[in-house]
Amino acid sequence: MLERLHFDNRFTAELPGDPERANYRRQVQGACYARVAPTPVAAPRLVAFSPEAASLLDLSAADCLSEAFVQIFAGNRLLPGMDPYATCYGGHQFGHWAGQLGDGRAINLGEVVNKRGERYTLQLKGAGPTPFSRTADGLAVLRSSVREFLCSEAMFHLGIPTTRALSLVATGEQVVRDMFYDGNPKREPGAIVCRVSRSFTRFGHFQLLAARNDVELLRRLLDYTLRTDFPELRAPDEETYLRWFAEVCRRTADLVVGWMRVGFVHGVMNTDNMSVLGETIDYGPYGWLEAFDPGWTPNTTDADGRRYCFGNQPRIAHWNLAQLGNALHPLIGSAEPLNAALETFAERYTASWRDMMAGKLGLQALDGAGDEALVADLFALLGADETDMTIFFRTLGALPITDEAVGAGFFNDAFYSPATIGEDHAARLVAWLARYRARVAADALPMQVRRARMAHSNPRYVLRNYLAQLAIDAAEQGNYAPVHELLDVLRHPYSEQPGRERYAEKRPDWARNRPGCSMLSCSS
Ligand code: AMP
Ligand code: MG
């Protein structure tokens, strides 16, 4: 089947590329991409593949286990129809305009059209330098590739838009990384993930063209994006551009609401890490909330400003969208309609967030100031005494609503220090539970429906940071079984999985301060 994959590369067919074919670092002007081949690797080994991502390409498990597969997705072999290239984009990093960035270690292999006529771009991450690699090596290490692979698929199974991960291949080569930028470089095993998405176009693709005042190419890229990924918006004119921008605002709002629902912190929400499709993209120093804390970020590179901490994500998404809006200004000619479209974000975010919270609490809808206070008081409680967000909500879904004797102890599994929960805190939680019970009783949802709604809003299994780290530790020793097991657990995040309870437990104490479990950097 691999040989029969049907490639139809519209991005390179319809958009201008850099005429220069040599692979050296440079500014690429007047082009959306530069052709570049993956760098072959010594001894590739398949670590894992995702059967669900493979099925998007009509590939079977047998295809993915073949020798051809590992060679192709290590970048050692091209299939007929592949036409590899790296794309050109810019972006704001930590709030500052960074100029040209581009795919410094991502190479698109081409676009596959599957049996259903759906189009997917295949992209290798870590397959060697490109014209956009700047001062870096174009490679990726196993630790961050395991994280990207697992989290992409976990996010998909949670029902949150994301780029997908088809494969994870160890290259058999070593890569030097200074994990915490503290003068301690080490050799680490290299790896390559093949990502799959309908499009990898980022806010930064438009931003760079606008910053260079290349209005003609800006328009071409947007018209191309409309044709390929937003065909429902039709005619490319000013009205359509504004409707498109509003649609990106809506999708981004829903995306961040999804993250807030499951306790995901992206970690590096630079504008070059924002997909115009509203997908989660670029899994770097991301993390999952353990003890609820809006100020938490796993990214040590961001420890001072905490720009990208959990609670800031909606505000940052809005800021990033404003930058995309600025990039569209040359096509619209005035700021006012863009600002009006940008309002879509706040409106949609508020509405989606309320729906989401109603789901988490098992209510039909949030209703008025009383419900707002109920939610705010709950989050204040969760933040006050190290309470695991995921376990708390899952436990809340099992709360016997009519049994008023149930107290704070019911939530012991969610407390990081159950022995030290003070009487005060326990009493506040019990008081909150009484309000919650009354609110549920007043809601018209039948109990079964409420429970089902909560079970689908509150995952049992998420990719806890320490679980990912344990899988990485094993993979670095050549044992890939824990990666497979974790991938399998995360395929059914909302289901009870008897025998796999340990994957749903709170972070053990040894992992509290261990690098990789609680601290990550952009070094990957
Ligand atoms: P990130 O922080 O991963 O979103 O990366 C920001 C920019 O740096 C993007 O243009 C990446 O392609 C580039 N980049 C990150 N790591 C590497 C690397 N090891 N080699 C080349 N480029 C990289
Ligand atoms: Mg990036």
Side-chain angles (χ1 to χ4, degrees), residues 394 460-461 485-503:
R394 194 72 185 185
R460 169 101 163 118
Y461 300 97
E485 167 95 356
L486 201 44
L487 177 65
D488 202 45
V489 169
L490 296 167
R491 292 168 88 182
H492 304 285
Y494 301 104
S495 307
E496 297 296 326
Q497 299 182 41
R500 286 171 157 179
E501 291 77 8
R502 69 193 171 89
Y503 290 98

Side-chain angles (χ1 to χ4, degrees), residues 89 93 101-106 125 132-134 136-139 177 268 270 272-273 282 522 524:
Y89 58 79
Q93 298 190 312
L101 297 165
D103 289 324
R105 55 162 164 180
K125 181 167 175 181
F132 307 101
S133 295
R134 295 178 292 152
D137 57 12
L139 304 173
R177 284 290 179 274
V268 205
N270 292 333
D272 51 301
N273 291 339
D282 279 10
C522 287
S524 58

